[in-house]
Amino acid sequence: MTSHADLQKIGIIVLAAGNSSRLGTAKQLLKDKNGVSFIKRITALALSLSCKKVLCILGANHPAIAQELKDLKATIVINDLWSQGIASSIKLAVHTVNSQFPDLEALLFLVCDQPFVDEKILHQVIYQYFKSGQPIVASHYQNTLGTPALFDRSFFPVLLLLEGDRGAGKVIHDHSDRVAMIDFEDGLFDIDTQRDYELYSA
């Protein structure tokens, strides 16, 4: 089990700025099987880990999405450049952490449309970071490495070089020799279309 002192070295970033163009409605506001919006579910889950800081990067539809988070102690950061792609949210998160929370050692990135992410998975990612000594930890599903994914501060400058829709997966791929992994088979399922949501809800 990861100690409280170790958890205090970690910041969690919830990437939720996109406009869900393939879905046709804001996926952040869709309800999970318990009737909780996806953005509130993943943010509450992040807060439950007792890490140092939780930042939610919002963009499209941010007034309505922020309303979902009003009762939670997360820091909301608005990405006015969200239409430029997910890289803009990652870079805004890193810039915010560098300027406001320079004591953080690593950042754990989450998205709200992976409905099977749970506390166990997040603890596994963080535990693997401290156990492996590798600067990146990624989740493994069907020959893919992706989110939830953690990056040590030594990789913050690399994250700041991302552009467009090239997310953290590019950094993971380009530096595969520096990556530890956890198995998360259900991470393959995310909600991009109405059909995905119907399959999840069934």
Side-chain angles (χ1 to χ4, degrees), residues 16 21 38 44 54-55 66 75 80 87 99 124 139 154 161-162 170-171 174 177 182 190-192:
S21 57
F38 282 161
V54 175
L55 276 64
T75 298
D80 293 325
S99 63
Q124 284 179 4
S139 300
S154 64
L161 297 176
L162 290 170
K170 173 175 169 48
V171 179
D174 290 350
D177 59 324
I182 65 149
D190 60 6
I191 294 174
D192 285 327

Side-chain angles (χ1 to χ4, degrees), residues 126-138:
I126 295 171
Y127 175 77
Q128 188 67 13
Y129 168 65
F130 289 107
K131 177 187 175 186
S132 69
Q134 293 283 39
I136 303 173
V137 182

Side-chain angles (χ1 to χ4, degrees), residues 61-108:
N61 307 300
H62 66 80
I65 296 167
Q67 185 68 16
E68 285 291 299
L69 303 175
K70 63 180 177 16
D71 297 327
L72 300 179
K73 295 185 183 300
T75 298
I76 294 174
V77 181
I78 305 301
N79 177 14
D80 293 325
L81 304 178
W82 64 265
S83 61
Q84 296 182 9
I86 195 169
S88 65
S89 289
I90 293 172
K91 292 195 287 187
L92 177 57
V94 173
H95 280 307
T96 302
V97 167
N98 280 340
S99 63
Q100 298 184 27
F101 313 105
D103 56 328
L104 289 177
E105 180 179 307
L107 294 177
L108 171 58

Side-chain angles (χ1 to χ4, degrees), residues 14-197:
V14 177
L15 298 169
N19 69 341
S20 313
S21 57
R22 292 174 60 192
L23 186 70
T25 188
K27 68 175 69 175
Q28 299 93 328
L29 300 177
L30 292 177
K31 304 294 187 183
D32 70 7
K33 293 183 178 181
N34 295 313
V36 179
S37 66
F38 282 161
I39 186 63
K40 188 169 187 176
R41 185 195 87 88
I42 196 67
T43 304
L45 178 61
L47 289 165
S48 74
L49 267 65
S50 300
C51 287
K52 179 77 170 182
K53 201 71 185 175
V54 175
L55 276 64
C56 293
I57 311 298
L58 307 185
N61 307 300
H62 66 80
I65 296 167
Q67 185 68 16
E68 285 291 299
L69 303 175
K70 63 180 177 16
D71 297 327
L72 300 179
K73 295 185 183 300
T75 298
I76 294 174
V77 181
I78 305 301
N79 177 14
D80 293 325
L81 304 178
W82 64 265
S83 61
Q84 296 182 9
I86 195 169
S88 65
S89 289
I90 293 172
K91 292 195 287 187
L92 177 57
V94 173
H95 280 307
T96 302
V97 167
N98 280 340
S99 63
Q100 298 184 27
F101 313 105
D103 56 328
L104 289 177
E105 180 179 307
L107 294 177
L108 171 58
F109 287 90
L110 310 179
V111 291
C112 70
D113 64 350
Q114 287 180 302
F116 298 113
V117 170
D118 59 18
E119 185 175 358
K120 178 181 177 183
I121 290 296
L122 300 186
H123 274 298
Q124 284 179 4
V125 172
I126 295 171
Y127 175 77
Q128 188 67 13
Y129 168 65
F130 289 107
K131 177 187 175 186
S132 69
Q134 293 283 39
I136 303 173
V137 182
S139 300
H140 176 254
Y141 32 88
Q142 199 177 21
N143 302 318
T144 298
L145 291 172
T147 54
L150 182 149
F151 295 85
D152 181 86
R153 176 170 284 279
S154 64
F155 268 85
F156 289 5
V158 182
L159 293 172
L160 289 173
L161 297 176
L162 290 170
E163 295 290 342
D165 283 322
R166 302 301 299 273
K170 173 175 169 48
V171 179
I172 294 168
H173 179 268
D174 290 350
H175 301 274
S176 57
D177 59 324
R178 310 292 307 280
V179 179
M181 68 180 71
I182 65 149
D183 288 320
F184 178 31
E185 184 177 342
D186 288 336
L188 179 66
F189 186 83
D190 60 6
I191 294 174
D192 285 327
T193 65
Q194 193 63 39
R195 178 59 177 159
D196 293 337
Y197 187 54

